[in-house]
Amino acid sequence: MELERKLCRIFFLCLLAARQSGAEVTQDNTNPGSDTSYFFYQDQSYPRDCKDIQDQCSTKNATGAQVIQPDGYDAPFWVFCSGDWTVIHRRSDSLTDFSRGWDEYRDGFGFINANHWLGNGKVAHLTNQKTYELRIDIETESGLTGFISYGSFRIIEEFSDYSLVSVGRSNDNLESAVTWCPTNTIPGNCSRCIATCADPSGTVDCSNDCGGIQQTCICPPNYLMDGTNCIRQEECGCYKEGHGVIADGASHMASDCSERCACSAGVSSCVSQSCDQDATCREVNGVSNCSCNEGFEGNGLRCTSTINRDCYDIMRYVSTESGEYSITPSGWTERPFTVSCNMTIDGGGWTVIQRRVQSSSRYDFNQDWETYKSGFGSYSRGFWMGNEQLYYLTNQGEYELRIDMVNRDLSAYHAKYDLFRINAEIDKYKMSGLGNFTGTAAYDAMTNQHNKYFSTRDRDNDGNSQHHCADYYDGGWWFGRSSYNNCGDCLLNRMSHSGSLGWWNNLPGDDHFLYTEMKIRPRRAN
């Protein structure tokens, strides 16, 4: 029979108990087919063969071009690995001339991922490291595949003309020595677990004992066992593109968690889905699923907060009524603190950080640094949340800011910024994030406050040599010089001489207020 292709691959079983540097182990040499001696070297910085590489790859497959350096060989070199087998010869057509001289067979020729001979010098060093097994994979012109395996294989160095000193067994009758594989199968290692149409992952039925045989015929990639035959996975009953074969009674999630397909009585059905906004699509052991993020629980499609981080969480998981609730922002290590939640304006879910109300019992906003840090006031008379709480809130995600104002003409205005963030106390609670402006206030009066430090009557951080702005305007704030005012165009915590609360430059109507409310909400709520 004409053999169109031969693949000689080395696989080893480590049978030696120990190695010693420079030692030569002499064995029985009375039998010409037995091992006579092995040469051992300790110094190495590269894997010695494809089995070493496969072991380092853990669960991954080492198949492909790799670099190895057998013990004692003077330099690393490229080989082709087929799993843990080291390919020393491949010939699939007549395009590569194998009629070569001694030096070329010693050094090797061809391309390692195509027709090639690895080189007798390399093979000698490979096979003298320990006991190796030889397997020859064969495919005929008609497509019939088979293999021959030998329990041991070793050749000696060039001084002995690369003599074949160990081949494990010999058989003059090629037909009886070759194990021919049925249609749609290829030579491979026997496995206790077999992937089938009913069990595509090959994890349920692991009762195959292999009968003590290591080499056998297996289904090639993208084929599955159906009864006694290997068929393409597309021919199995519940095959779906992007999912593979789904076992009967099971379901499978797409890798991006956008679709789940199920198989029932050999018929597949799929539904679109998406992970909850508080969940992430994660792959574990090759299976994708929606998993709730830290601080949330559920099936990934619907997650419930175990800790309410802001008023948006309160609205989603606790109540849609405005009022006072306890929250714990991410990273906050103190006890939960109470906040005022506005659930009515602009979709709700707003955490109020400042409120001022013009009344005879209004709260004084001319406070020192420590008071602004921890917060002060009452929800009815006016309050400031506290810069420390505000820092943790605005740094657990991206937040937007909304400011509602009522002026002395009783006209209502609002300003909205699609990002708002402040830094920690060590950076003087600097307003480090301020996004794009929209709203009926018409003028972006806060732009000069961006990247400015917070100042109070006892901490002058405004960088203004002409004014101590917090002391001058009787309130703590992020002060920033503008073309109109040395302390900025938006001063919502000031007290004017006329008794009005705050100021917003270029407001369409009267720019002094009877009421202000600042509030934040996660940007994802939009």
Side-chain angles (χ1 to χ4, degrees), residues 463-480:
N464 191 327
S465 60
Q466 298 178 350
H467 292 283
H468 178 355
C469 296
D471 187 55
Y472 184 81
Y473 284 109
D474 297 327
W477 193 248
W478 301 275
F479 297 99

Side-chain angles (χ1 to χ4, degrees), residues 447-503:
T447 186
N448 295 302
Q449 273 67 48
H450 188 204
N451 286 321
K452 297 302 186 292
Y453 300 116
F454 199 85
S455 292
T456 58
R457 68 188 186 193
D458 60 335
R459 297 277 186 95
D460 184 6
N461 299 320
D462 57 33
N464 191 327
S465 60
Q466 298 178 350
H467 292 283
H468 178 355
C469 296
D471 187 55
Y472 184 81
Y473 284 109
D474 297 327
W477 193 248
W478 301 275
F479 297 99
R481 183 191 299 270
S482 72
S483 59
Y484 183 83
N485 187 300
N486 285 330
C487 293
D489 289 337
C490 169
L491 307 174
L492 297 184
N493 286 350
R494 67 167 281 185
M495 177 64 72
S496 73
H497 298 296
S498 63
S500 63
L501 310 175
W503 173 65

